[in-house]
Coordinates of all heavy atoms in Angstrom, one line a residue:
Chain A
S1306 N 121.9 72.6 81.3 CA 121.1 73.8 81.5 C 121.7 74.8 82.5 O 122.5 74.4 83.3 CB 119.7 73.3 81.8 OG 119.7 72.9 83.2
L1307 N 121.2 76.0 82.4 CA 121.6 77.0 83.4 C 121.2 76.5 84.8 O 122.0 76.6 85.7 CB 120.9 78.3 83.1 CG 121.1 79.4 84.1 CD1 122.5 79.8 84.1 CD2 120.1 80.5 83.9
T1308 N 120.1 75.9 84.9 CA 119.7 75.4 86.3 C 120.6 74.4 86.8 O 121.0 74.5 88.0 CB 118.3 74.8 86.1 OG1 117.4 75.7 85.5 CG2 117.7 74.4 87.5
A1309 N 121.0 73.4 85.9 CA 122.0 72.4 86.4 C 123.3 73.1 86.8 O 123.9 72.7 87.8 CB 122.2 71.4 85.3
L1310 N 123.8 73.9 86.0 CA 125.1 74.6 86.2 C 125.1 75.3 87.6 O 126.0 75.2 88.4 CB 125.4 75.6 85.1 CG 126.0 75.0 83.8 CD1 126.1 76.0 82.8 CD2 127.4 74.5 84.1
A1311 N 124.0 76.1 87.8 CA 123.9 76.9 89.0 C 123.8 76.0 90.2 O 124.4 76.2 91.3 CB 122.7 77.8 89.0
A1312 N 123.0 74.9 90.1 CA 122.8 74.0 91.2 C 124.1 73.3 91.6 O 124.5 73.1 92.7 CB 121.7 73.0 90.9
F1313 N 124.8 72.8 90.5 CA 126.0 72.1 90.8 C 127.0 72.9 91.5 O 127.8 72.4 92.4 CB 126.6 71.6 89.5 CG 127.9 70.8 89.6 CD1 127.8 69.4 89.8 CD2 129.1 71.3 89.6 CE1 128.9 68.7 90.0 CE2 130.3 70.6 89.8 CZ 130.2 69.3 90.0
H1314 N 127.1 74.2 91.1 CA 128.1 75.1 91.8 C 127.6 75.7 93.1 O 128.3 76.4 93.8 CB 128.6 76.1 90.8 CG 129.3 75.6 89.7 ND1 128.9 75.6 88.4 CD2 130.5 75.0 89.6 CE1 129.7 75.0 87.6 NE2 130.8 74.6 88.2
G1315 N 126.3 75.6 93.3 CA 125.7 76.1 94.5 C 125.7 77.7 94.5 O 126.0 78.3 95.5
V1316 N 125.4 78.2 93.3 CA 125.3 79.7 93.2 C 123.9 80.1 92.6 O 123.2 79.2 92.2 CB 126.5 80.2 92.3 CG1 127.8 79.8 92.8 CG2 126.2 79.6 90.9
A1317 N 123.7 81.3 92.7 CA 122.3 81.8 92.3 C 122.2 81.7 90.8 O 123.1 82.2 90.0 CB 122.1 83.2 92.7
A1318 N 121.1 81.1 90.3 CA 121.0 80.9 88.9 C 120.9 82.2 88.1 O 121.6 82.3 87.1 CB 119.6 80.1 88.6
P1319 N 120.2 83.3 88.5 CA 120.2 84.5 87.6 C 121.5 85.1 87.5 O 121.8 85.6 86.4 CB 119.2 85.4 88.4 CG 118.4 84.5 89.3 CD 119.3 83.4 89.6
Y1320 N 122.3 85.0 88.4 CA 123.7 85.6 88.3 C 124.6 84.7 87.4 O 125.4 85.2 86.7 CB 124.3 85.9 89.6 CG 125.5 86.8 89.5 CD1 125.4 88.0 88.8 CD2 126.7 86.5 90.1 CE1 126.5 88.9 88.7 CE2 127.8 87.3 90.0 CZ 127.7 88.5 89.3 OH 128.8 89.4 89.1
M1321 N 124.5 83.4 87.6 CA 125.3 82.6 86.8 C 124.9 82.7 85.3 O 125.7 82.7 84.4 CB 125.0 81.1 87.2 CG 125.7 80.0 86.4 SD 127.5 80.1 86.4 CE 127.9 78.5 87.2
A1322 N 123.6 83.0 85.1 CA 123.1 83.2 83.7 C 123.9 84.4 83.1 O 124.3 84.3 81.9 CB 121.6 83.6 83.8
K1323 N 124.2 85.4 83.8 CA 124.9 86.6 83.3 C 126.3 86.2 82.8 O 126.7 86.6 81.8 CB 125.0 87.7 84.3 CG 125.6 89.0 83.8 CD 125.1 90.1 84.6 CE 125.5 91.4 84.0 NZ 124.7 92.5 84.4
Q1324 N 127.0 85.4 83.6 CA 128.3 84.9 83.2 C 128.2 84.1 82.0 O 129.0 84.2 81.1 CB 129.0 84.1 84.4 CG 128.7 84.7 85.7 CD 129.1 86.2 85.9 OE1 130.0 86.7 85.3 NE2 128.3 86.9 86.7
M1325 N 127.2 83.2 81.9 CA 127.1 82.3 80.7 C 126.8 83.2 79.5 O 127.3 82.7 78.4 CB 126.0 81.2 81.0 CG 126.3 80.4 82.2 SD 128.0 79.6 82.0 CE 127.8 78.5 80.6
Q1326 N 126.0 84.2 79.6 CA 125.7 85.0 78.5 C 127.0 85.7 78.0 O 127.1 85.8 76.7 CB 124.7 86.1 78.9 CG 123.3 85.5 79.1 CD 122.4 86.5 79.8 OE1 122.6 87.7 79.9 NE2 121.3 86.0 80.3
L1327 N 127.8 86.1 78.9 CA 129.1 86.7 78.4 C 129.9 85.7 77.7 O 130.6 86.0 76.7 CB 129.8 87.3 79.6 CG 129.1 88.6 80.2 CD1 129.8 88.9 81.6 CD2 129.2 89.7 79.3
L1328 N 130.0 84.5 78.2 CA 130.8 83.4 77.5 C 130.1 83.2 76.2 O 130.9 83.0 75.2 CB 130.7 82.2 78.4 CG 131.6 82.2 79.7 CD1 131.5 80.8 80.4 CD2 132.9 82.6 79.5
S1329 N 128.8 83.2 76.1 CA 128.2 82.9 74.8 C 128.5 84.0 73.8 O 128.8 83.8 72.7 CB 126.7 82.9 75.0 OG 126.0 82.7 73.8
A1330 N 128.4 85.3 74.3 CA 128.8 86.5 73.4 C 130.2 86.4 72.9 O 130.5 86.8 71.8 CB 128.5 87.7 74.1
A1331 N 131.1 85.8 73.7 CA 132.6 85.7 73.3 C 132.8 84.5 72.5 O 134.0 84.3 72.1 CB 133.4 85.7 74.6
G1332 N 131.8 83.7 72.2 CA 132.1 82.5 71.4 C 132.7 81.4 72.1 O 133.2 80.5 71.4
I1333 N 132.7 81.4 73.4 CA 133.3 80.2 74.2 C 132.3 79.2 74.4 O 132.7 78.0 74.3 CB 133.9 80.8 75.5 CG1 135.0 81.8 75.3 CG2 134.3 79.7 76.4 CD1 135.5 82.5 76.5
V1334 N 131.0 79.5 74.6 CA 130.0 78.4 74.7 C 128.9 78.7 73.6 O 128.8 79.9 73.2 CB 129.4 78.4 76.1 CG1 130.4 78.1 77.2 CG2 128.7 79.7 76.4
R1335 N 128.2 77.7 73.4 CA 127.1 77.9 72.5 C 125.8 77.6 73.3 O 125.8 76.7 74.1 CB 127.1 76.8 71.3 CG 127.8 77.3 70.1 CD 127.7 76.2 69.0 NE 126.4 75.6 68.7 CZ 125.6 76.2 67.9 NH1 125.9 77.4 67.3 NH2 124.4 75.7 67.7
S1336 N 124.8 78.4 73.1 CA 123.5 78.3 73.8 C 122.4 77.8 73.0 O 122.4 78.1 71.7 CB 123.2 79.7 74.4 OG 122.9 80.6 73.3
S1337 N 121.6 76.9 73.5 CA 120.5 76.4 72.7 C 119.2 76.7 73.6 O 119.1 76.4 74.8 CB 120.6 74.9 72.6 OG 121.8 74.5 71.9
R1338 N 118.3 77.3 72.9 CA 117.0 77.6 73.6 C 116.1 76.5 73.5 O 116.3 75.5 72.8 CB 116.4 78.9 73.0 CG 117.4 80.0 72.8 CD 117.0 81.3 73.5 NE 116.2 82.1 72.6 CZ 116.1 83.4 72.7 NH1 116.8 84.1 73.6 NH2 115.3 84.0 71.8
G1339 N 114.9 76.7 74.1 CA 113.8 75.8 74.0 C 113.8 74.8 75.2 O 114.5 74.9 76.1
A1340 N 112.9 73.8 75.0 CA 112.6 72.9 76.2 C 113.8 72.2 76.6 O 114.0 71.9 77.8 CB 111.5 71.9 75.7
T1341 N 114.6 71.7 75.7 CA 115.8 71.0 76.1 C 117.1 71.8 75.9 O 118.2 71.3 75.6 CB 115.9 69.7 75.3 OG1 116.0 70.0 73.9 CG2 114.7 68.8 75.5
G1342 N 117.0 73.1 76.1 CA 118.1 74.0 75.8 C 119.2 73.9 76.9 O 119.0 73.2 77.9
G1343 N 120.2 74.7 76.7 CA 121.3 74.7 77.7 C 122.6 75.2 77.0 O 122.5 75.8 75.9
Y1344 N 123.7 74.9 77.7 CA 124.9 75.4 77.2 C 125.9 74.3 76.8 O 126.0 73.3 77.5 CB 125.6 76.3 78.2 CG 124.9 77.6 78.5 CD1 124.0 77.8 79.5 CD2 125.1 78.7 77.6 CE1 123.3 79.0 79.7 CE2 124.4 79.9 77.8 CZ 123.5 80.0 78.9 OH 122.9 81.2 79.0
T1345 N 126.7 74.5 75.8 CA 127.7 73.6 75.3 C 128.9 74.3 75.0 O 128.8 75.5 74.7 CB 127.2 73.0 74.0 OG1 125.8 72.5 74.1 CG2 128.0 71.8 73.6
L1346 N 130.0 73.7 75.2 CA 131.3 74.3 74.8 C 131.3 74.6 73.3 O 130.9 73.6 72.5 CB 132.4 73.4 75.3 CG 133.6 74.1 76.0 CD1 133.0 75.0 77.1 CD2 134.5 73.0 76.6
A1347 N 131.8 75.7 72.8 CA 131.8 76.0 71.4 C 133.0 75.6 70.7 O 133.1 75.5 69.5 CB 131.5 77.5 71.2
K1348 N 134.1 75.3 71.5 CA 135.4 75.1 70.9 C 136.0 73.9 71.7 O 135.6 73.7 72.9 CB 136.4 76.3 71.0 CG 135.8 77.4 70.2 CD 136.9 78.5 70.1 CE 137.0 79.3 71.4 NZ 137.9 80.5 71.3
P1349 N 137.0 73.2 71.2 CA 137.7 72.2 71.9 C 138.3 72.8 73.2 O 138.8 74.0 73.1 CB 138.7 71.7 71.0 CG 138.3 72.0 69.6 CD 137.5 73.3 69.8
P1350 N 138.3 72.1 74.3 CA 138.8 72.7 75.5 C 140.3 73.2 75.4 O 140.7 74.1 76.1 CB 138.8 71.6 76.6 CG 137.7 70.6 76.0 CD 137.7 70.8 74.5
A1351 N 141.0 72.5 74.5 CA 142.4 73.0 74.3 C 142.5 74.3 73.7 O 143.6 75.0 73.8 CB 143.2 71.9 73.5
E1352 N 141.5 74.8 73.1 CA 141.5 76.1 72.3 C 140.9 77.2 73.2 O 140.7 78.3 72.6 CB 140.9 75.9 71.0 CG 141.6 75.0 70.1 CD 140.8 74.9 68.7 OE1 140.0 75.6 68.4 OE2 141.1 73.9 68.0
I1353 N 140.6 76.9 74.4 CA 140.0 77.9 75.3 C 141.0 78.2 76.4 O 141.3 77.2 77.2 CB 138.7 77.5 75.9 CG1 137.7 77.1 74.7 CG2 138.1 78.6 76.8 CD1 136.3 76.5 75.3

Side-chain angles (χ1 to χ4, degrees):
Chain A
S1306 71
L1307 174 69
T1308 305
L1310 280 169
F1313 182 86
H1314 292 112
V1316 300
Y1320 193 52
M1321 178 63 117
K1323 185 154 192 157
Q1324 320 307 325
M1325 297 309 294
Q1326 287 165 19
L1327 289 169
L1328 290 182
S1329 176
I1333 293 173
V1334 301
R1335 266 178 57 81
S1336 64
S1337 300
R1338 313 232 275 206
T1341 60
Y1344 290 100
T1345 310
L1346 231 47
K1348 297 188 284 189
E1352 295 177 16
I1353 302 172

